[in-house]
């Protein structure tokens, strides 16, 4: 990726983190629970979801400030899902991004509660915001709870855990990822566009675009697990192969997975063309998802 | 309690359970996760929160039907909190109401996800409802997320866990219970009154009333742990004493705890008097909270 783009990414991330920390600072949380929440919130990460939301909003002429409450809510949900996924009963991960996971650092009980709290208060970020109308709040809250609940991310995580013990075919793999990762990435761009007051037709197109980038993101994740540089990624590669998990490369071969990723990339770009957004940062972000090495 | 009142309680419970199951039936949940969710939703319980919400609404002349989406949301949050509280890392309970707890029956991973899902979709019950205005949804969602999150129930559960390892004084015990139990009970009556279109003054009084019944509920819980009938309660009594936990009877003596409960009962009734609701089912529910033996 060119330097200009990565600088932009860094700036967006920085701006977002300032906003998120300032917003969380307003909550009165018991000290140890607070420490646990801040630990995971500030444990790094690409902040891809908030940046996608901002880029989608700006691509349609909206103001970046408009997305922050919804973007903070989304990142809080993403963070809670990582804390709970890392738990011993789930993926049992001791490290994330080179640091001890939340339950290793604070104990399992506090980690569960930090996750529960981040999830619960994410909705409050939207409901208490003073920059959204009541109708906007209802739309954002409704879409967010659907995308992340029993018909969305939680269902995806459940199916993903089952898939670890028995192989799945490509159709089921795709379904799992659409639920587990795709719905929240789709929410990111849909909420961003919605907050720029797009038409229903534009909203529908951006939703389809979101579905494609969700798949691109996941296929690239699987590819990096095979060919990624452990040093750059800050996590162990080859972990999928180690546990016999079905992945795009394991089902299609590495070349087949790359081909599949690129075909979704083409479809994603075709949506952006239809929306006349090929010169937007959203388009550059799409390319980044294909080229990213961590 | 008189027979007429307990019949009414049973009927309210029955009507609510039909509504809640019908609403959950509309969700498309992967089969095993679904089973785990329904198991805990239908595992019994007093359904006190939904019944309180309905009674508060009707006391002010509102229609019972009006509370169902918000009452279902609240009971979903209560149910998720029980599933997570029972986990090995938390209270490590193997039985609840005489049945195996969720994680014993379905495994820890599924139990964690069932809890996460119930919590997430509770908000959707309100946001997707077709009987509330956007303003009503925002009020209900905002109050619910505040009452149950990092400044409410989750904070209370966290402080309660810390209190198990070191004794607390009466002021801290009260604070813990206000967060852990009181905020959701207060939400129950506040939301019910709100949905009956009460004045701001009435809303404020019912909120203060909610705070009192939250304390009554918890003190009675502690009292029943000392003098309750294991057979009637369906759970082990004396468990607080066993683990040296600070409770109202351990800090004030049994008589002191009873006295404290009764003084909160008096205050609760005085709020109802001010609201001219002493002849309501809400008043009878308040008396029930003092007299209940399970």
């Amino acid at each position: 990726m060119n330097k200009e783009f990565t600088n932009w990414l860094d700036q967006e991330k920085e701006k977002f983190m300032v906003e998120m920390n300032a917003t969380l600072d307003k909550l009165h949380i018991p000290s140890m629970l607070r420490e646990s929440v801040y630990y995971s919130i500030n444990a790094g990460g690409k902040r891809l979801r908030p940046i996608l939301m901002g880029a989608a909003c700006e691509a349609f002429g909206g103001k970046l400030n408009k997305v922050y409450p919804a973007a903070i809510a989304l990142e809080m949900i993403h963070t809670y899902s990582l804390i709970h996924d890392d738990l011993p009963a789930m993926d049992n991960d001791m490290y994330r991004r080179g640091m001890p996971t939340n339950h290793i650092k604070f104990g399992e009980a506090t980690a569960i509660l930090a996750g529960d709290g981040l999830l619960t208060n994410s909705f409050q970020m939207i409901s208490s915001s003073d920059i959204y109308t009541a109708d906007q709040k209802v739309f954002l809250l409704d879409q967010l709870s659907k995308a992340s609940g029993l018909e969305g991310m939680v269902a995806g995580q459940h199916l993903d855990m089952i898939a670890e013990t028995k192989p799945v075919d490509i159709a089921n793999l795709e379904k799992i990822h659409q639920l587990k990762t795709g719905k929240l990435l789709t929410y990111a761009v849909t909420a961003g566009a919605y907050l720029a007051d797009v038409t229903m037709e534009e909203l529908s197109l951006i939703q389809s675009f979101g579905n494609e980038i969700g798949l691109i993101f996941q296929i690239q994740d699987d590819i990096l697990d095979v060919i990624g540089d452990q040093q750059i990624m800050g996590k162990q590669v080859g972990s999928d192969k180690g546990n016999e998990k079905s992945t795009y490369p394991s089902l299609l071969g590495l070349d087949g997975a790359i081909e599949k990723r690129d075909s979704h990339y083409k479809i994603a770009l075709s949506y952006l063309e239809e929306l006349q957004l090929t010169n937007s940062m959203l388009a550059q972000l799409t390319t980044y998802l294909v080229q990213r090495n961590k």
Side-chain angles (χ1 to χ4, degrees), chain A:
Chain A
M1 303 304 301
N2 66 59
K3 189 91 187 117
E4 199 183 336
F5 176 76
T6 52
N7 281 346
W8 174 80
L9 266 189
D10 287 343
Q11 280 163 21
E12 294 299 297
K13 188 167 146 173
E14 176 62 24
K15 279 189 282 183
F16 172 74
M17 289 311 297
V18 169
E19 288 287 334
M20 180 153 71
N21 276 290
T23 305
L24 287 173
D25 283 349
K26 289 178 197 144
L27 297 176
H28 296 91
I29 313 171
S31 59
M32 196 176 115
L33 184 61
R34 175 181 205 90
E35 220 185 301
S36 162
V37 163
Y38 275 73
Y39 178 77
S40 287
I41 282 289
N42 292 302
K46 293 182 279 290
R47 313 300 173 183
L48 187 61
R49 290 154 191 79
I51 293 174
L52 274 169
M53 197 187 289
C57 185
E58 291 190 310
F60 287 104
K63 289 243 181 299
L64 181 62
N65 280 347
K66 196 77 193 267
V67 304
Y68 283 132
I72 290 165
L74 178 54
E75 191 68 6
M76 285 168 78
I77 287 196
H78 175 59
T79 305
Y80 118 74
S81 77
L82 300 182
I83 297 174
H84 281 194
D85 284 5
D86 286 338
L87 287 168
M90 308 277 270
D91 296 346
N92 195 20
D93 279 317
M94 295 179 67
Y95 291 91
R96 177 173 288 278
R97 302 185 191 114
M99 287 161 71
T101 46
N102 197 296
H103 65 275
I104 295 292
K105 179 99 178 162
F106 297 95
E108 240 183 286
T110 303
I112 293 170
L113 289 170
D116 290 344
L118 279 165
L119 169 55
T120 311
N121 285 84
S122 69
F123 296 100
Q124 195 212 326
M125 295 299 131
I126 295 170
S127 65
S128 291
S129 157
D130 51 14
I131 64 170
Y132 300 143
T133 65
D135 282 331
Q136 286 176 329
K137 288 178 184 182
V138 170
F139 176 89
L140 294 167
L141 288 164
D142 197 46
Q143 298 288 316
L144 183 59
S145 55
K146 278 179 188 154
S148 48
L150 292 163
E151 299 182 307
M153 185 182 70
V154 168
Q157 173 67 6
H158 171 72
L159 294 173
D160 194 36
M161 298 219 55
I162 293 174
E164 279 189 14
T165 58
K166 59 173 187 193
V168 293
D169 61 14
I170 194 80
N172 272 307
L173 186 68
E174 194 150 305
K175 189 190 162 193
I176 291 170
H177 291 312
Q178 267 168 337
L179 291 169
K180 190 179 170 181
T181 327
K183 291 225 172 193
L184 281 196
L185 286 170
T186 302
Y187 179 79
V189 292
T190 307
Y194 171 81
L195 289 169
D197 298 320
V198 296
T199 64
M200 287 302 282
E201 197 197 335
E202 288 168 325
L203 199 65
S204 162
L205 284 167
I206 205 77
Q207 208 152 11
S208 304
F209 164 78
N211 194 32
E212 297 302 318
I213 61 169
L215 290 167
I216 294 169
F217 178 83
Q218 191 56 50
I219 299 171
Q220 184 65 3
D221 236 34
D222 285 359
I223 291 171
L224 286 173
D225 192 70
V226 179
I227 61 166
D229 183 324
Q230 198 154 315
Q231 215 54 19
I232 294 172
M233 294 174 69
K235 69 176 176 186
Q236 211 186 324
V237 301
S239 60
D240 293 337
K241 186 144 193 216
N243 60 24
E244 306 293 333
K245 197 174 171 179
S246 298
T247 65
Y248 286 93
S250 80
L251 292 175
L252 305 173
L254 184 58
D255 287 347
I258 291 173
E259 209 173 287
K260 190 148 188 75
R261 177 198 70 193
D262 290 346
S263 85
H264 286 294
Y265 177 53
K266 267 193 197 144
I267 304 173
L269 288 186
S270 75
Y271 284 120
L272 292 183
E273 255 167 52
E274 202 170 339
L275 289 161
Q276 299 184 293
L277 297 180
T278 41
N279 285 322
S280 64
M281 293 315 281
L282 194 57
Q284 289 199 45
L285 272 167
T286 310
T287 304
Y288 161 75
L289 290 179
V290 173
Q291 297 179 352
R292 71 192 175 95
N293 57 10
K294 64 174 180 175

